[in-house]
Amino acid sequence: QGTLTLLTNERGGIVDDLIVTNTAEDHLYVVSNAGCADKDLAIMEDRAAELRAAGSDVHLEVLDNALLALQGPSMAQVLQAGLSDDLTKLSFMTSTATTVFGVPGCRVTRCGYTGEDGVEISVPAGRAVELAEQLLGIPEVWPAGLAARDSLRLEAGLCLYGNDIDESTTPVEAGLLWTLGKRRRAAMDFPGAAIIMAQVKEKPKRRRVGLTSVGPPIRPHAAILGPEGTPVGTVTSGCPSPSLGKNIAMGYVEAAHSRPGTALAVEVRKKQHPALVTKMPFVPTHYYVAK
């Protein structure tokens, strides 16, 4: 079973967002953002050394694996042909160690960054191209670039590290408090706990919101303006939505302007354009839950 979780700093900021899986093989399997891997590993190594000094038996192992994401409504049909495991039993955020189309040593996790039913396949790096070519040889499978991934994850309301969350944003501001379990909230045994839990009680001064608009696309760093034309926030991600036929974005605004349905404006090329605070996800997600 896996879950999204966060590494936080002493200021309550988000160092990285991670997927951590509690495997059946007596270890935790951690997937970090590639750009954050070095700083994440340094944090984990320091903590592991502290735990060993206290008498715990813990060590870290870095896998030389690549990650392939197979996403979309045909995923299960395509992948089932290359698996002995029954995909109908693999729910969203669960994983299995298996062989994929003859490539051993893989881990298939039913998750992804698109809002669609899909999997991420951890594959030994030396055989990643082989597996990718096998998948691309199937008529239903097409390669997708970063622009396609970015529009899909934004339609699903998913954060991009470095844009929508970073070391200056807290889980409360980002709407990611659900990643923090009740036991951890009570124990307050994580970096930045005092700041984060104070925000839970007192409410944050700003919040991450979704925005929709018509006209020119909303891009990162654009100013978000209140009814009087004064700045109330900043766009962190934005693009035209292929699924909706209008512009979508997310950003941070003052809490007083964060309620869905609030009419605001965005500044694009020094002109103001109407925008509406909109609930996320913008497009309904299709995560798979086994029956």
Side-chain angles (χ1 to χ4, degrees):
Q1 177 67 51
T3 187
L4 181 74
T5 191
L6 306 172
L7 280 181
T8 53
N9 60 30
E10 295 297 342
R11 301 182 304 279
I14 300 170
V15 176
D16 196 11
D17 58 324
L18 316 163
I19 292 179
V20 178
T21 298
N22 189 6
T23 71
E25 297 87 32
D26 199 28
H27 65 266
L28 298 179
Y29 167 65
V30 181
V31 178
S32 72
N33 283 295
C36 297
D38 290 343
K39 68 175 181 179
D40 292 355
L41 187 60
I43 290 169
M44 292 183 205
E45 285 177 337
D46 284 349
R47 184 66 178 132
E50 291 175 8
L51 290 168
R52 284 194 296 272
S56 296
D57 178 17
V58 58
H59 69 276
L60 291 164
E61 179 181 338
V62 180
L63 298 178
D64 182 25
N65 279 20
L67 204 62
L68 299 176
L70 185 65
Q71 304 282 302
S74 299
M75 180 282 296
Q77 169 198 333
V78 166
L79 192 62
Q80 188 60 76
L83 287 184
S84 58
D85 306 70
D86 183 357
L87 273 176
T88 63
K89 296 179 180 178
L90 196 70
S91 284
F92 179 60
M93 293 307 294
T94 63
S95 76
T96 183
T98 187
T99 296
V100 181
F101 285 102
V103 179
C106 296
R107 178 171 289 278
V108 174
T109 305
R110 201 153 195 164
C111 68
Y113 199 42
T114 62
E116 299 297 319
D117 182 25
V119 294
E120 290 186 340
I121 306 167
S122 175
V123 53
R127 301 193 69 177
V129 172
E130 172 193 338
L131 181 55
E133 288 176 343
Q134 285 196 77
L135 289 169
L136 289 170
I138 300 167
E140 293 89 348
V141 180
W142 288 69
L146 290 178
R149 187 201 69 166
D150 200 46
S151 66
L152 285 164
R153 69 93 189 167
L154 189 49
E155 288 180 343
L158 303 175
C159 294
L160 173 62
Y161 190 84
N163 281 43
D164 311 300
I165 51 176
D166 58 29
E167 295 196 30
S168 69
T169 54
T170 72
V172 186
E173 294 170 337
L176 296 174
L177 191 61
W178 59 269
T179 62
L180 186 55
K182 288 183 180 179
R183 182 185 68 78
R184 303 303 298 278
R185 296 187 201 194
M188 294 182 65
D189 58 351
F190 54 92
I195 293 170
I196 292 168
M197 295 313 297
Q199 282 190 350
V200 173
K201 289 183 180 179
E202 299 161 12
K203 308 301 180 189
K205 293 180 180 178
R206 62 174 187 155
R207 292 184 182 275
R208 179 172 64 93
V209 298
L211 297 168
T212 53
S213 75
V214 293
I218 311 172
R219 298 300 187 191
H221 312 300
I224 304 171
L225 309 173
E228 290 79 35
T230 55
V232 297
T234 306
V235 172
T236 53
S237 289
C239 71
S241 166
S243 302
L244 300 177
K246 55 185 172 183
N247 303 318
I248 58 173
M250 66 172 75
Y252 287 83
V253 299
E254 295 170 4
H257 301 281
S258 63
R259 186 181 296 276
T262 301
L264 299 172
V266 289
E267 188 173 271
V268 182
R269 301 188 197 97
K270 298 184 179 180
K271 291 185 178 179
Q272 294 185 23
H273 299 273
L276 192 69
V277 177
T278 305
K279 278 187 177 182
M280 296 183 285
F282 299 102
V283 175
T285 56
H286 297 102
Y287 304 130
Y288 174 79
V289 179
K291 296 176 182 177

